[in-house]
Amino acid sequence: MGGDISSITDMSDSACEKLFYNNGYLTDASELILPWNTLNQNCYNSMFFGCTSLTKAPVLPATTLALNCYKSMFEGCTSLTKVFALPATTL
């Protein structure tokens, strides 16, 4: 799966919350582009929650994070094997 989700123009709180929630078929999200540098509260909360087949996660380029913006984003993603760095400088 790939693509740029910047067509979601309203990145208000919880904008992408539970977007792929419990999708057992999703295996590779490495080509998914998450273009925002500043995140709102809960915007990616539980985005991939329960995606048990997910082996490759997208890059998380945001440098300014809001409360719970990544909360439970990869919870239950039992097939993920790689840890990635967060470039965030402002919390």
Side-chain angles (χ1 to χ4, degrees):
M1 176 196 55
D4 184 343
I5 63 171
S6 65
S7 62
I8 300 173
T9 57
D10 180 11
M11 270 308 289
S12 59
D13 294 352
S14 306
C16 293
E17 183 175 6
K18 298 183 180 180
L19 189 62
F20 302 105
Y21 192 84
N22 280 332
N23 182 328
Y25 300 101
L26 180 61
T27 59
D28 186 348
S30 63
E31 298 297 319
L32 182 64
I33 299 168
L34 307 176
W36 300 280
N37 288 325
T38 300
L39 301 181
N40 289 327
Q41 186 171 333
N42 292 310
C43 65
Y44 295 132
N45 184 1
S46 302
M47 186 175 186
F48 296 101
F49 182 100
C51 293
T52 55
S53 298
L54 186 66
T55 60
K56 296 180 183 175
V59 173
L60 305 176
T63 55
T64 303
L65 307 181
L67 184 65
N68 296 322
C69 62
Y70 290 134
K71 180 181 178 189
S72 301
M73 187 174 184
F74 298 105
E75 186 172 335
C77 296
T78 54
S79 296
L80 278 177
T81 57
K82 184 178 178 183
V83 177
F84 40 86
L86 293 176
T89 55
T90 306
L91 301 175

